[in-house]
Amino acid sequence: MKKLIAEMTGTFWLVLGGCGSAVLAAGFPELGIGFAGVALAFGLTVLTGAYALGHISGAHFNPAVSLGLWAGGRFPVRELVPYMVAQVIGGLVGAVVIYLIARGAPGFDVHAGFASNGFGMQSPAGFSLTSALLTEVILTAMFVVVIMGATHPKAPAMMGPLAIGLCLTLIHLISIPVDNTSVNPARSTAMAVFAGGEWLTQLWLFWVAPLAGGLLGGFFSRFCLGEGRCQ
């Protein structure tokens, strides 16, 4: 139960910090934090969450990461579904808090996107479904590879969360214009539920692609780099 509460809390923090920065702080002329600020916010949430909660649950905060760690031999299959459920619940709670804050602003329209992920007309720069699919699979795979390597017993102690947070920042710097960056089905679900419409219709991609990428990264690390410890 402590592990599940930690995963809920960490995913709540990721959505509140990352998506909250996009909804509440990114768009102000001259003063807004912009793409780079949002990317940094996501990295900081994982960095701080991992240091605070990693010793309890491993600090996955992401169904694709949990699946990737299972594929990499680092996570038992019996805990996969409970972790994923806890992550989705934590993300939804984060989205609720963002919504309650954001609706206090004049002219706020949750259906305008609410930091949801999308392709085509819902992409920030109009990127296609194929572009979004490729982006999510490859970036999630590399995210899992970094996580597997940074948390290996031979890696520098206490540096794992820093490497993982910086990796997530880089991922967002690359892909926010493509599809608003998911690499995390729980984060995508939390925001799409509120945005509704096409955002919710396109949510399937932001489950399928990150999960596929997580499996790819986990298997690559385990069988090509020898990072796994079978359970």
Side-chain angles (χ1 to χ4, degrees), residues 116-127:
S116 298
N117 303 111
F119 54 85
M121 294 296 293
Q122 315 318 122
S123 160
F127 282 84

Side-chain angles (χ1 to χ4, degrees), residues 45-87:
T45 61
V46 170
L47 171 64
T48 55
Y51 276 124
L53 302 167
H55 64 288
I56 301 174
S57 69
H60 301 185
F61 312 151
N62 181 340
V65 169
S66 296
L67 188 63
L69 291 177
W70 166 78
R74 295 278 191 88
F75 191 63
V77 67
R78 66 181 181 276
E79 294 187 26
L80 262 180
V81 172
Y83 261 55
M84 290 180 176
V85 171
Q87 291 154 0

